[in-house]
Amino acid sequence: QFVTINKKDINEFAGTITSKKIDGNKLTMIIKGKYKVRVDYYIKDEKELEFLDNLDLGIKIQIKGSKQELTNNTIPNTFNYKKYLKNSLIDYVILADKYKIINKKTNILYKLKNSFINYIKQFKSKNYLSTFMIGSKDYLADGVYEQYQSLGVSHIFAISGMHISMLTLILFKLLSKIKERKRYIIVISFLIVYMFITDYQASVLRSTILFIMLYLNKRFDFNMTTLQCLYLTIILILLRLPNMIYNIGFLYSSIISFSLIKYRHLIKGNYIIKCLKISLIAFLFSLPITINNNFEVNILSIINNLFFVPLISFIIYPLSLLTIIIKPLDIILYTITNILENVSPYLPVCNSVVPKLNIVTIILYYILLFLFFSSYRKIYLISLVLLILLIKLLVILDDNLYV
């Protein structure tokens, strides 16, 4: 029997499982067929849990259940689940009552993806290997990622352009004896497959397409600058996936890449000074995105990044890559990440709540920011600080804005 209020809401749907997650007794799947559907299913017993946990991605499944009606958020500026699903190109949400495996055969890409995911599950440090290798935070303990968010360093726990650059550099070194053209073809092919494995995450998508653009620019002498290649990359992604403009990962990846490429001539000095400048530039350019999504900013995140960025970039991420190849290194990675989790709660947090910025304020903010970096006049930097303070103080001064 199907548990549904209205029998006309019963839906049958068949498609390919592209992703799945089990949280307690709840299974969530994304199934792609004629439509892209999110399916929620409540697991009945341990035997079924084991069966569903071992279910491969890429298999064909038929589900039967009731379509869920979604509404917009009733409180302004809170999370809008309906809009989120629309921006993720998901057509329906179905609460499933029954399912049937139609075809267990998967294509070569899904075979590779399943093998890699199952391989990572064997490691003691699977929580961080999964985060850095396939972009999944499913294994991170409750509260750990939230702790990194409060410190203002959660962005370095996502697969970023920096990680892709390091990966391509390693591949180029390994393929150094092969002719340049073949070397590029192999690396690009690898990155395209890697995009698939990471579910086309925004930062991986942006980094891969930019890498291809830079290669084509070099190969055919288009004489484009790196910044122009980035512009073209962003345009191509948005032409193909317009809803990506609402993706936080895409916004962060694009604006931070732009700022670091645009002002790379400023990143000079010793190692500490360089890290501080990179952290400051990234912080300033991504601030409106942070405010409009989190409604708070950790002012000390610039300092925290001085500790986390080198640790992740030069120790944990390279060690993660080596651990995948040399399994005994797992215990070292596990020990280091365990120490990191125990230390992070003691790092400084100074969160300041800032109301959502409107489009006029955002434009004014970036105008002042560009003027500052063009002239280095302190008046523009002071104006930036005053602008944010004004937004914060207006709420305090106007009682009508309180609930």
Side-chain angles (χ1 to χ4, degrees), residues 357-365:
L357 307 176
N358 58 42
I359 188 64
V360 175
T361 309
I362 292 171
I363 291 170
L364 181 58
Y365 174 87

Side-chain angles (χ1 to χ4, degrees), residues 151 178 246 293 401:
L151 290 169
I178 300 175
Y246 301 107
N293 286 284
L401 296 178

Side-chain angles (χ1 to χ4, degrees), residues 31-135:
I31 299 177
K32 197 169 183 180
K34 186 177 180 181
Y35 302 101
K36 189 177 180 182
V37 175
R38 173 187 162 133
V39 177
D40 293 329
Y41 176 78
Y42 288 92
I43 302 164
K44 297 176 179 64
D45 52 45
E46 288 291 330
K47 188 178 178 181
E48 187 179 40
L49 174 63
E50 186 181 355
F51 170 76
L52 291 171
D53 190 37
N54 293 320
L55 216 56
D56 284 337
L57 300 179
I59 68 169
K60 301 288 190 301
I61 191 171
Q62 183 181 50
I63 59 102
K64 200 170 186 180
S66 54
K67 188 164 68 175
Q68 304 298 290
E69 290 298 324
L70 299 173
T71 57
N72 289 310
N73 54 322
T74 54
I75 301 172
N77 294 325
T78 52
F79 182 66
N80 188 325
Y81 186 51
K82 186 177 182 179
K83 189 176 179 181
Y84 166 77
L85 291 175
K86 184 183 177 183
N87 293 337
S88 301
L89 305 178
I90 293 173
D91 300 297
Y92 301 108
V93 174
I94 294 178
L95 180 61
D97 296 299
K98 289 184 178 180
Y99 61 87
K100 183 173 74 173
I101 308 302
I102 300 172
N103 191 345
K104 283 192 174 183
K105 288 183 179 180
T106 58
N107 63 37
I108 189 167
L109 286 175
Y110 275 113
K111 278 185 172 68
L112 187 63
K113 184 172 183 175
N114 288 318
S115 298
F116 193 51
I117 291 170
N118 291 330
Y119 178 65
I120 285 175
K121 285 180 182 179
Q122 302 169 19
F123 289 83
K124 199 173 182 181
S125 56
K126 63 183 179 183
N127 46 0
Y128 285 89
L129 283 176
S130 180
T131 300
F132 290 123
M133 296 297 105
I134 58 176

Side-chain angles (χ1 to χ4, degrees), residues 101-336:
I101 308 302
I102 300 172
N103 191 345
K104 283 192 174 183
K105 288 183 179 180
T106 58
N107 63 37
I108 189 167
L109 286 175
Y110 275 113
K111 278 185 172 68
L112 187 63
K113 184 172 183 175
N114 288 318
S115 298
F116 193 51
I117 291 170
N118 291 330
Y119 178 65
I120 285 175
K121 285 180 182 179
Q122 302 169 19
F123 289 83
K124 199 173 182 181
S125 56
K126 63 183 179 183
N127 46 0
Y128 285 89
L129 283 176
S130 180
T131 300
F132 290 123
M133 296 297 105
I134 58 176
S136 171
K137 299 172 184 67
D138 292 351
Y139 296 113
L140 282 177
D142 292 341
V144 170
Y145 188 68
E146 286 77 6
Q147 177 63 38
Y148 294 140
Q149 281 183 316
S150 69
L151 290 169
V153 297
S154 60
H155 60 282
I156 58 175
F157 289 89
I159 302 172
S160 65
M162 176 191 67
H163 298 143
I164 298 298
S165 297
M166 192 176 292
L167 199 56
T168 54
L169 184 64
I170 292 168
L171 288 171
F172 270 110
K173 290 287 183 184
L174 292 173
L175 301 169
S176 58
K177 293 183 178 179
I178 300 175
K179 287 183 179 179
E180 186 181 66
R181 189 176 175 184
K182 287 183 179 179
R183 194 160 66 233
Y184 269 101
I185 291 169
I186 292 169
V187 172
I188 288 170
S189 301
F190 174 85
L191 290 176
I192 291 169
V193 173
Y194 191 58
M195 273 199 306
F196 175 80
I197 289 173
T198 59
D199 280 331
Y200 300 98
Q201 288 193 14
S203 56
V204 181
L205 183 67
R206 195 272 309 158
S207 300
T208 301
I209 296 177
L210 177 58
F211 181 81
I212 294 169
M213 289 295 108
L214 290 170
Y215 167 66
L216 293 175
N217 182 46
K218 181 182 178 182
R219 176 81 175 80
F220 297 104
D221 295 320
F222 291 139
N223 294 319
M224 293 170 66
T225 64
T226 304
L227 208 53
Q228 287 171 334
C229 288
L230 177 64
Y231 297 152
L232 184 58
T233 297
I234 293 169
I235 290 167
L236 288 172
I237 291 172
L238 291 178
L239 283 173
R240 180 66 184 87
L241 301 166
N243 285 48
M244 194 65 81
I245 195 68
Y246 301 107
N247 185 290
I248 299 170
F250 177 75
L251 294 175
Y252 270 122
S253 180
S254 300
I255 196 71
I256 291 174
S257 295
F258 164 80
S259 63
L260 295 179
I261 293 170
K262 175 79 174 172
Y263 299 107
R264 61 187 169 186
H265 62 280
L266 300 176
I267 305 170
K268 296 175 181 177
N270 59 42
Y271 177 74
I272 299 296
I273 297 298
K274 281 182 179 179
C275 283
L276 184 60
K277 286 180 177 179
I278 289 170
S279 184
L280 181 61
I281 292 170
F283 175 82
L284 289 173
F285 273 88
S286 63
L287 187 60
I289 302 169
T290 303
I291 291 172
N292 277 16
N293 286 284
N294 301 333
F295 302 106
E296 66 176 13
V297 179
N298 180 12
I299 299 166
L300 298 177
S301 64
I302 298 169
I303 306 301
N304 289 332
N305 274 298
L306 290 179
F307 168 73
F308 276 96
V309 171
L311 182 65
I312 299 297
S313 304
F314 302 113
I315 298 175
I316 294 179
Y317 182 72
L319 186 57
S320 298
L321 290 172
L322 284 171
T323 302
I324 291 293
I325 302 165
I326 309 167
K327 206 170 181 181
L329 292 175
D330 183 30
I331 189 65
I332 299 173
L333 179 61
Y334 178 78
T335 304
I336 293 172

